[in-house]
Amino acid sequence: MARTGEVMADILKRWEVDHLYGMPGDSINEFVEELRKARNELRFYQVRHEEVGALAAAAYAKLTGKLGVCLSIAGPGAVHLMNGLYDAKADGAPVLVIAGQVPTSKIGTDAFQEINLERMFEDASVYCKRADSHEQLPDMLNQAIRTAYAENGPAVLIVPDNLFAEKAEWDQPLTSDILASEPGSPRQKDMEMAAEMIMRAKKPVILAGKGALGAKEELALFAEKIGAPVAVSLPGKGAIPDTHPHCLGHIGQLGTKQSYWAMQETDLLIMIGTSYPYREFLPEKADAIQIDIETKFIGKRYPVACGLNGDSKKVLEALTAALPYQEDRTFLEEAQKRMAAWRDEMENDMEAETENLMPPQVMKEIQQVLTEDAILSVDVGNITVWSARYLDLHRQKMVISSWLATMGCGLPGAIAAKIAEPDKQVWALCGDGGFTMVMHDFVTAVKYKLPIVVVVFNNQKLGMIHYEQQEMGHIEYGTGLGNIDFAMFAEACGGIGVSIHNREEMKMALNQAVKADRPVILDVHVEEEPPLPGNISYGQAVHYTESMVKKFFSGKGVTIPPIGKSVKRLF
């Protein structure tokens, strides 16, 4: 006879779960006791806020493909998980939640901290069930984990705490801890159709997403053989090295002018591992091929003529072998010529000598100390633009909240990355707005001796929202932030803090930070710089001008981006 909580801990270990994030409490304490007993094999990372636990679990799943696990008490603890679960669902990350509930005898009585967890979690999950008896729990746990993996999203198992303590023999399981995950292969006729479309195309363009990250070599060989430039979605950064001769950088609002040009000129769009949502940045009319392991995404956001359902690595290998070398490189060469000019512009931004630090300059200095296998957890806001545009990734990995785009994801992602890869260099790149949402959990990194480097781009402003308001023609409002000395905060938590105001201080601090044996916060004071899109529409230019006029006549200071840069990006 064993306590059901012990059986559940054993099941987690059989699914190769080795750690969880969360906070203990009165409606989960019976299970926490089993975690204490299994602490050598199943480590419990006690976070300071359950949102951080859920965001860390999601980031761990995105980085590794393995199940991220978090737990919470009923009521307020469960509510705190929601942001991280929506992030996991939106980005297709397998996450398991074990949520405590009031004892079975009190369910439905409006007991202390009782809320309807099934209803609350339903929209944020791919599986959500409450156990009514301890006999159900082991089988329900297997089913929850299997569903999280199969549907790439959060599975929630709600457990009244008393059930964990019940003893029973689990000798006739209804489920197993085995997952069949081998994907199918495209039909031969679809492969032949795709090959014909590629051979017929004069201006093919590849759009690579997250699903191409496991096929980096195959993607590069495929692009070379068909003579196609490659644009990448934000979560696909690194699918092809940023400095590769075929790479056109990102697509979309934070992308390059060259990727926008290529999308407007192409006669064949080849989407690999992406269901890119912003239709205005895709071709108005072009034939399209889509490769995706998930059939539900093929043709979801663009009218493709040919869908290839399968693993990107295998499909690209087969296509490359079947296709002749494309001799006509006219379109590719024009794209490369344009991209060279863009890279020169980015390099000028990074090398510019200014009195105060500018974000591109900071990125340049970070680039100098990045190891080849570093992991970067990037927050949401202007920092997303600077990271996407100025960091050149090769073998490095980047994790971000790409679809939900929730601020505050940077620090939890770095904590998860260091747990997943303790021997690798791990960074959190954050704006001051995003970091202050979760900064309390810097002490979690200190407590568990996780030497991450947190770079806070401190401009005392919600910079992205500031620009968005201007882009709409409004005077910015509610975007200013009070000043916090993040370096002193780091020291108070037991970490290392450095306040940085110029480039020389930045160089020195970075070289010391990457050698530190404790978590570090670099409080980098940067000048405000509007995150100008790679391609500025006429409407954006008009609205931005309206905002400047309103500010002038209201007696407020006017900040104008470099005119030359703006004109270059205006079609």
Side-chain angles (χ1 to χ4, degrees), residues 1-4 134-135 162-169:
M1 301 282 284
R3 283 173 38 116
T4 304
H134 69 274
E135 291 91 350
N162 60 292
L163 299 187
F164 291 118
E166 298 289 339
K167 291 185 177 182
E169 293 284 355

Side-chain angles (χ1 to χ4, degrees), residues 27 74 99-103 107 113-115 117 130 158-161:
S27 54
Q101 182 55 290
V102 300
I107 291 176
Q113 291 191 328
E114 181 191 6
I115 62 175
L117 295 181
R130 188 189 76 202
I158 303 164
V159 187
D161 196 36

Side-chain angles (χ1 to χ4, degrees), residues 357-364 386 390 457 526-529:
L357 267 176
M358 306 301 287
Q361 298 166 347
V362 179
M363 287 300 179
K364 176 72 173 183
W386 311 139
Y390 294 103
F457 287 64
V526 294
E527 198 70 17
E528 180 186 351
E529 181 173 351

Side-chain angles (χ1 to χ4, degrees), residues 303-481:
V304 302
C306 180
L308 302 177
N309 175 222
D311 177 71
S312 296
K313 184 181 182 75
K314 295 180 179 178
V315 174
L316 288 175
E317 281 179 344
L319 270 179
T320 303
L323 289 166
Y325 182 83
Q326 174 57 261
E327 299 290 346
D328 184 357
R329 307 255 143 173
T330 306
F331 181 63
L332 173 64
E333 288 167 359
E334 176 62 23
Q336 290 172 328
K337 179 181 176 182
R338 290 169 175 262
M339 192 60 192
W342 173 266
R343 289 195 176 108
D344 287 343
E345 184 182 340
M346 296 299 100
E347 189 65 25
N348 289 338
D349 289 347
M350 291 186 286
E351 293 294 348
E353 293 296 332
T354 56
E355 183 177 350
N356 299 315
L357 267 176
M358 306 301 287
Q361 298 166 347
V362 179
M363 287 300 179
K364 176 72 173 183
E365 299 307 327
I366 292 173
Q367 185 81 55
Q368 303 306 309
V369 296
L370 277 186
T371 55
E372 288 188 358
D373 58 356
I375 302 173
L376 300 103
S377 179
V378 179
D379 219 309
V380 168
N382 277 356
I383 188 63
T384 316
V385 178
W386 311 139
S387 300
R389 192 166 289 169
Y390 294 103
L391 280 181
D392 289 333
L393 300 190
H394 298 264
R395 291 179 51 216
Q396 297 92 349
K397 291 182 180 180
M398 186 183 83
V399 64
I400 193 171
S401 174
S402 59
W403 184 238
L404 186 65
T406 178
M407 292 172 65
C409 65
L411 177 62
I415 289 171
K418 198 64 181 179
I419 291 169
E421 300 283 0
D423 297 328
K424 292 184 178 177
Q425 193 186 77
V426 173
W427 300 74
L429 305 183
C430 310
D432 48 348
F435 184 66
T436 50
M437 290 184 173
V438 295
M439 61 189 285
H440 42 72
D441 265 279
F442 180 74
V443 77
T444 300
V446 173
K447 175 181 177 179
Y448 293 108
K449 297 179 174 62
L450 304 174
I452 59 177
V453 181
V454 182
V455 184
V456 180
F457 287 64
N458 185 354
N459 63 1
Q460 301 178 39
K461 192 180 293 267
L462 296 172
M464 177 66 79
I465 301 168
H466 174 94
Y467 175 75
E468 287 172 348
Q469 291 175 350
Q470 292 178 333
E471 185 186 346
M472 296 172 73
H474 304 322
I475 298 173
E476 66 273 6
Y477 181 73
T479 59
L481 300 172

